[in-house]
Amino acid sequence: MRKEFSDCYDLVVYQIYPRSFMDSNGDGIGDLGGVLSRLDYVKDLGANAIWLCPIFKSPQCDNGYDVSDYRDIDPIYGTMADFDALLAAAHERGIKVIMDFVANHTSSEHEWFQRARLSKNDPYHDYYYWADEPLTDWRSEFGGSAWEFNEPTGEYYLHSFAVGQPDVNWTNPKVREEYAAIVDFWVGKGVDGFRCDVLDHVSKDFKKGLRRNGPHLHEYIREVFGRDHLTNIYTVGEAETTEESILATCGQDRRELKSVFQFSHLMVGRQGKYTPVPHRMDEVKDIVEGWERFTQERDLLYILLTDNHDRPWFISRTGNDRALRYECATNVATAIFLQRGIPFVYEGQEIGCANSHFPDLSAFNDVECLGYYEENKGKIPEATLLEQINFGSRDNTRRPFAWDGTPNHGFTTAAAPWLPYASRADEINLAADLAAERSIYRYYQQLFALRRERVALRRGKSTQLLPESKDCYVYLREHEGERLLVVCNFERAQSLDGLPEGRLLLTNLDRAAGANGAYAPFECAVYDLTK
Ligand code: GLC
Ligand code: CA
């Protein structure tokens, strides 16, 4: 594997949702000053990179995924000087900074669109998709038609997401130049990477009904990210994840992206976004293991994750987030983050955050779940709808970080935060976790310390053991004579016999060293088998 790829195995990325991480000026909204004040927290966890969800100027109809100026910071988050200070402080601590790159759409308030919508003759008109009649019957991801009428020109424009997020026309070479220049602007400032929002959407084929993964996708990605000066810039894309498309996007000779997210294991435990279904952790294991094998055989990077700002909490869907919350959170972290790939931790995951429950819609903000409500009210009984939204809303993971158990949870000095705290924030907060006999945060610290110390856990080959066994995930990581065994038991107590014996390095319960065999529910352990 080329060095610029293999070096990525040393990353541990901490994803920050800036609105909800830490508020530094008392307006109830997290901001860059808040992130800066918590950099040591991130470093102490063992992360060495942060991915900042969008902080660019934006009317915030999709919490910043509707950008109105790619080269400026939204005033709710601070100023460009605050950003520069954050970047410098991160680099001083050896923390890389990854920005969100939102290129499928702008905000309807972006200057390009403001001009484009006024006249067919404006040079910016061709920066977007227009048609006299909707070209397709596509629905917007957030509900309603994906085509919106525009009075001044008498045309419809495409918005795959909210009405305020018009899709940008990447067939226009000027558009591609603009985005390349935006990347260069941030690289010039010293940022280390980009997380590319719904990047596969930038090429479409209306005739064939392709909303994404269109015929020019790869040449477009290369035009922006394949340039020589970006060789050492880390990139991770949200893109279609068939084996074929991953190879085409992330192959080391492709000059496109370093990695893409695979989300298929995150559908376990639900059907669509809002309906729970029975789950088995074995399903998660099988999917993850399949990608592990595939990426390892093809020398591709794999992303290790269970949570982000677009999904409710993983342990609430696939595990026991009540009596066994500590066990589940630490077990899942061990099973996923010691695998071969790049760990992505989402803020709050490291203290075992779990889903909320609210009695009415006023506690929600997410444009997606509110759109779902609008589309279904009257069709689905009100109480059921509310249950579904509690289960599936993206707000579950977007609630302000609870640093402690005080009324403001150490997040803000404002009377109320922009979005209500999680309904279990009195129970689940950092201070409570650290004070508990068993701390999820401290376990994460040990886990990432081990990953740092043991090269086999970063660069090593991965082999699944006991592939036929149920309700457990057991694998070996090996590198130049170093051999580590990771044993993660899932839901039921069972004996895992026949595993090689080794020296115990880490466990989430009180496992006596060398006591292989019986495992409690969600017990996990890491052994050193090195001779
Ligand atoms: C991605 C983002 C999500 C956003 C959408 C539209 O899926 O992660 O939060 O709503 O793109 O930009
Ligand atoms: Ca603030």
Side-chain angles (χ1 to χ4, degrees):
M1 195 177 255
R2 286 191 197 160
K3 189 172 182 315
E4 69 264 26
F5 281 79
S6 60
D7 281 353
C8 297
Y9 284 128
D10 297 337
L11 291 171
V12 173
V13 183
Y14 187 82
Q15 183 191 347
I16 292 180
Y17 201 66
R19 272 180 167 265
S20 290
F21 194 49
M22 182 66 202
D23 176 20
S24 70
N25 66 348
D27 65 354
I29 308 174
D31 47 45
L32 295 180
V35 175
L36 189 137
S37 73
R38 288 294 187 267
L39 279 179
D40 287 329
Y41 169 81
V42 171
K43 188 177 164 71
D44 290 348
L45 178 69
N48 55 18
I50 52 175
W51 151 25
L52 294 172
C53 279
I55 51 170
F56 315 105
K57 204 156 182 232
S58 159
Q60 307 286 329
C61 90
D62 187 19
N63 291 357
Y65 283 97
D66 47 324
V67 180
S68 57
D69 186 346
Y70 290 99
R71 290 182 176 81
D72 205 355
I73 304 294
D74 196 274
I76 63 171
Y77 295 128
T79 62
M80 193 55 93
D82 294 328
F83 176 80
D84 292 338
L86 173 61
L87 185 64
H91 285 168
E92 262 166 40
R93 290 166 175 78
I95 297 175
K96 292 186 159 52
V97 175
I98 298 167
M99 304 296 281
D100 224 300
F101 178 70
V102 190
N104 173 65
H105 39 264
T106 65
S107 161
S108 52
E109 291 181 23
H110 193 290
E111 193 195 340
W112 300 343
F113 192 75
Q114 288 295 310
R115 294 185 51 174
R117 79 181 322 164
L118 289 182
S119 153
K120 291 184 183 178
N121 298 324
D122 192 286
Y124 285 104
H125 194 67
D126 199 30
Y127 272 40
Y128 297 88
Y129 293 109
W130 301 97
D132 295 334
E133 291 297 327
L135 291 180
T136 58
D137 58 2
W138 296 346
R139 310 288 294 166
S140 141
E141 292 283 340
F142 299 154
S145 165
W147 296 91
E148 182 77 7
F149 188 66
N150 175 55
E151 286 278 5
T153 60
E155 296 165 296
Y156 290 81
Y157 68 87
L158 176 69
H159 61 93
S160 296
F161 295 87
V163 174
Q165 293 170 297
D167 284 44
V168 171
N169 172 15
W170 275 64
T171 67
N172 180 347
K174 283 228 166 54
V175 161
R176 306 197 298 271
E177 278 170 30
E178 296 270 13
Y179 280 107
I182 290 164
V183 163
D184 290 347
F185 173 82
W186 290 100
V187 168
K189 285 201 155 282
V191 311
D192 305 283
F194 298 93
R195 174 271 186 187
C196 308
D197 190 59
V198 294
L199 194 62
D200 57 349
H201 284 56
V202 301
S203 176
K204 314 178 205 286
D205 189 329
F206 294 106
K207 290 214 180 74
K208 290 197 181 135
L210 285 180
R211 303 181 70 150
R212 55 202 196 104
N213 225 14
H216 301 290
L217 179 65
H218 298 289
E219 77 197 56
Y220 294 168
I221 298 179
R222 268 198 297 278
E223 261 188 73
V224 175
F225 289 109
R227 296 170 298 148
D228 284 343
H229 65 289
L230 302 180
T231 305
N232 290 315
I233 290 292
Y234 174 63
T235 43
V236 52
E238 255 196 324
E240 192 187 60
T241 50
T242 59
E243 295 188 350
E244 206 189 342
S245 71
I246 292 175
L247 264 175
T249 316
C250 306
Q252 291 175 58
D253 54 350
R254 297 287 299 172
R255 304 179 68 85
E256 293 187 23
L257 299 183
K258 299 251 166 26
S259 53
V260 292
F261 294 112
Q262 278 89 11
F263 294 132
S264 37
H265 61 300
L266 304 184
M267 286 313 293
V268 172
R270 59 186 177 150
Q271 198 170 40
K273 291 192 167 148
Y274 299 100
T275 310
V277 293
H279 66 268
R280 287 183 310 111
M281 272 300 281
D282 279 338
E283 291 172 67
V284 174
K285 168 183 83 174
D286 290 345
I287 297 170
V288 168
E289 187 57 34
W291 285 121
E292 275 299 340
R293 256 195 323 272
F294 176 77
T295 51
Q296 178 159 277
E297 277 161 16
R298 310 298 160 101
D299 224 6
L300 302 168
L301 293 169
Y302 181 49
I303 303 292
L304 310 172
L305 95 161
T306 56
D307 288 283
N308 66 19
H309 64 295
D310 286 333
R311 290 161 179 83
W313 294 106
F314 183 77
I315 59 163
S316 295
R317 195 162 67 245
T318 60
N320 177 334
D321 70 2
R322 295 279 167 179
L324 298 179
R325 189 171 59 87
Y326 164 86
E327 287 80 349
C328 271
T330 49
N331 185 278
V332 163
T334 309
I336 302 291
F337 291 145
L338 294 187
Q339 261 295 7
R340 182 179 176 280
I342 307 169
F344 272 65
V345 183
Y346 180 68
E347 66 179 46
Q349 182 185 347
E350 75 281 13
I351 60 169
C353 279
N355 283 356
S356 287
H357 196 277
F358 287 98
D360 62 76
L361 267 192
S362 65
F364 294 89
N365 159 278
D366 169 26
V367 56
E368 181 180 80
C369 76
L370 298 179
Y372 177 77
Y373 177 82
E374 283 306 317
E375 289 222 310
N376 290 289
K377 70 172 181 213
K379 296 185 207 150
I380 299 177
E382 189 72 14
T384 311
L385 254 183
L386 196 62
E387 281 312 303
Q388 292 184 334
I389 287 174
N390 270 306
F391 169 79
S393 170
R394 304 191 294 182
D395 284 330
N396 275 303
T397 46
R398 296 176 175 192
R399 300 197 175 276
F401 197 106
W403 296 95
D404 61 37
T406 62
N408 289 330
H409 294 293
F411 168 74
T412 183
T413 53
W418 72 276
L419 183 72
Y421 298 106
S423 58
R424 296 174 68 188
D426 288 341
E427 168 204 354
I428 307 175
N429 58 67
L430 176 67
D433 180 74
L434 291 176
E437 195 184 324
R438 293 187 166 126
S439 155
I440 300 169
Y441 180 83
R442 281 199 303 268
Y443 183 87
Y444 263 72
Q445 287 182 310
Q446 293 176 41
L447 188 77
F448 289 133
L450 193 61
R451 217 188 126 93
R452 238 176 3 254
E453 284 153 18
R454 298 305 191 112
V455 65
L457 293 176
R458 286 177 280 116
R459 313 292 172 108
K461 177 172 171 253
S462 168
T463 317
Q464 189 185 9
L465 303 185
L466 311 183
E468 305 304 326
S469 295
K470 292 284 172 243
D471 234 14
C472 65
Y473 190 15
V474 182
Y475 55 85
L476 264 182
R477 299 294 314 274
E478 296 170 278
H479 186 79
E480 294 173 356
E482 185 174 81
R483 295 179 79 221
L484 300 184
L485 173 69
V486 181
V487 183
C488 297
N489 186 39
F490 296 150
E491 231 159 321
R492 62 190 158 99
Q494 62 178 329
S495 227
L496 299 172
D497 297 318
L499 292 173
E501 300 251 327
R503 186 167 67 84
L504 182 69
L505 293 177
L506 176 69
T507 174
N508 62 345
L509 296 178
D510 304 314
R511 196 160 191 80
N516 287 3
Y519 281 80
F522 298 112
E523 182 170 11
C524 61
V526 184
Y527 300 96
D528 190 355
L529 308 181
T530 313
K531 286 278 176 304

